[in-house]
Amino acid sequence: MCKRVLSGMRPTGRLHLGHYFGILCNWVKLQHDYECYYMSADWHALTTDYADTSKINENTLEIIADWIVAGINPEKSILFKQSEILQHSELFLILSMITPLGWLQRCPTYKKQINEIKNKNLNNYGFLGYPVLQSADILLYKADIIPIGEDQLSHLELARKITKRFNNFYGTNFTEPREIFTKTPRIMGLDGRKMSKSYNNSIFLGESSDTLKYKVKNMFTDPLKIKKTDPGHFKNCVVFEFHKIFDKYYKNKQNKCEVGIIDCTKCKNQLIEMLIEFMRPLTDKRKRLISDKAYLEKVLKTGRKKATETANKTMEEIHKILKF
Ligand code: TRP
């Protein structure tokens, strides 16, 4: 049987270059060789955003549009909305019976977010169970390969442990899923921290040329390089980090900067050109797609049908295994 790929993202707003280089470029590659399921994890969004659900649906359409903009082909991959496939919730319930509480309480992302996120009350049962729902997503499609960002690793480790425990209890042989990361799992934001919407340091997919210019002009460079002839220290330079991504000859630029034959303004202008060239087709495509709600809904409808078929098959099998 063809190996399956499954991944998802919470529909929490526009996607940026961190998503693109950290996750989506793998999604795009995998669709040529595998049966790929990509879902908008709206129930996962609900675990933290339960108090205000008004944006979740709209965000799902936006995220589907952004995936297509990034190169996901809805004719090849199955794009769907988690909450439209009710079997996720049934399998979540079943897996929650065999998941020890301690595994969830010790999960590093859980502990970190409980400590860091202060503007939402995360003392809810659903948030603790977040990785169990994620395990259900994976097992429901018997997915082998899970292309994710680094921040999801501890959830994937739990998914493996839960699958193993299921296999031990019921004598089954479900595959333990394997994560894959891109070459550039961590993209720096405009301010040198990790690119993240909540830090307000992102370059979004489909950004206009003017905004790109503005954002690059305001990027930090090495504070010790003031004049062109000052030797640059590229380790402290955000602009250099972007050159590394967009220019395979970035080492030439590194040399020029270090020996003092290029200044920061010129270097920024070169980056602006590359960024605009990279972004232009995405921006055009995004403009067309984002207003075509009917098309996006059609994509989801097709995805729903296909995902339901696979989910039904797995649940039938699980009912038999559990003697229900
Ligand atoms: N938790 C993931 C995130 O926030 C989204 C997600 C939900 C997911 N279910 C999944 C990713 C299953 C991979 C596999 O990014």
Side-chain angles (χ1 to χ4, degrees):
M1 197 177 71
C2 176
K3 283 198 176 193
R4 290 221 184 105
V5 170
L6 177 125
S7 195
M9 286 185 194
R10 281 165 299 141
T12 52
R14 240 181 128 164
L15 301 185
H16 52 60
L17 291 181
H19 296 110
Y20 184 87
F21 290 106
I23 308 170
L24 285 171
C25 56
N26 265 350
W27 288 20
V28 172
K29 264 193 238 148
L30 289 163
Q31 54 181 357
H32 304 296
D33 298 318
Y34 301 99
E35 188 178 315
C36 295
Y37 293 80
Y38 298 130
M39 59 167 212
S40 166
D42 51 351
W43 275 334
H44 277 102
L46 201 58
T47 64
T48 53
D49 297 353
Y50 52 84
D52 178 9
T53 58
S54 58
K55 292 269 155 44
I56 295 184
N57 266 347
E58 191 183 313
N59 286 347
T60 285
L61 288 188
E62 187 173 37
I63 213 171
I64 300 289
D66 272 342
W67 292 347
I68 300 173
V69 164
I72 303 291
N73 179 351
E75 313 263 311
K76 276 201 165 125
S77 298
I78 299 165
L79 310 185
F80 67 100
K81 182 159 125 181
Q82 184 186 32
S83 66
E84 287 186 336
I85 319 291
L86 297 180
Q87 289 85 341
H88 287 253
S89 63
E90 189 186 0
L91 191 52
F92 167 56
L93 180 138
I94 293 171
L95 296 183
S96 71
M97 304 303 165
I98 65 163
T99 306
L101 272 182
W103 289 6
L104 301 174
Q105 286 157 337
R106 284 194 297 271
C107 176
T109 43
Y110 176 73
K111 290 198 289 194
K112 187 164 170 251
Q113 297 196 49
I114 286 275
N115 275 329
E116 283 177 5
I117 300 178
K118 296 289 177 217
N119 61 342
K120 292 174 195 162
N121 183 349
L122 297 183
N123 259 319
N124 51 323
Y125 167 64
F127 185 61
L128 180 67
Y130 187 109
V132 186
L133 180 57
Q134 190 157 341
S135 307
D137 300 337
I138 296 170
L139 185 57
L140 192 55
Y141 301 91
K142 299 191 188 169
D144 315 271
I145 301 170
I146 320 295
I148 42 171
E150 273 185 334
D151 61 327
Q152 294 297 313
L153 181 59
S154 57
H155 295 154
L156 212 86
E157 280 164 352
L158 270 174
R160 271 196 286 273
K161 277 171 80 171
I162 293 172
T163 307
K164 202 183 257 173
R165 197 165 158 90
F166 189 98
N167 285 338
N168 277 339
F169 275 129
Y170 307 116
T172 45
N173 197 15
F174 289 118
T175 323
E176 290 168 33
R178 174 169 68 86
E179 71 279 2
I180 52 169
F181 298 132
T182 65
K183 276 199 310 241
T184 45
R186 192 174 292 260
I187 299 295
M188 206 183 253
L190 300 171
D191 58 359
R193 292 186 291 174
K194 182 184 164 189
M195 190 177 286
S196 159
K197 217 177 58 178
S198 50
Y199 292 152
N200 204 7
N201 65 357
S202 305
I203 296 181
F204 294 103
L205 296 189
E207 203 95 86
S208 71
S209 303
D210 284 346
T211 315
L212 288 173
K213 276 182 204 155
Y214 174 82
K215 287 188 170 174
V216 173
K217 285 197 170 138
N218 284 295
M219 274 180 187
F220 291 129
T221 53
D222 172 18
L224 297 175
K225 187 172 170 87
I226 296 160
K227 304 189 294 311
K228 174 170 154 184
T229 47
D230 293 333
H233 305 81
F234 56 91
K235 280 210 175 88
N236 305 326
C237 178
V238 177
V239 178
F240 179 71
E241 284 300 315
F242 281 90
H243 275 295
K244 247 163 86 180
I245 297 170
F246 286 98
D247 182 6
K248 60 176 183 242
Y249 303 112
Y250 70 90
K251 286 225 159 86
N252 287 343
K253 278 182 192 135
Q254 179 180 333
N255 283 339
K256 283 185 185 160
C257 170
E258 277 176 328
V259 299
I261 53 174
I262 183 169
D263 62 36
C264 296
T265 311
K266 184 156 179 205
C267 189
K268 281 184 171 181
N269 285 338
Q270 290 175 349
L271 176 61
I272 289 171
E273 260 172 50
M274 283 188 291
L275 262 174
I276 290 180
E277 194 176 318
F278 165 83
M279 202 67 94
R280 192 175 291 122
L282 278 67
T283 309
D284 293 346
K285 202 166 166 189
R286 193 172 196 279
K287 258 196 214 128
R288 268 182 283 125
L289 270 175
I290 209 81
S291 54
D292 197 350
K293 232 173 130 184
Y295 170 71
L296 298 170
E297 274 163 1
K298 201 175 102 211
V299 167
L300 278 176
K301 199 167 156 201
T302 311
R304 175 186 190 162
K305 227 170 113 204
K306 292 189 181 155
T308 302
E309 266 172 39
T310 309
N312 272 336
K313 274 197 200 132
T314 309
M315 284 322 292
E316 252 173 51
E317 199 179 333
I318 287 184
H319 287 169
K320 277 198 195 122
I321 291 161
L322 298 182
K323 306 193 167 49
F324 263 61

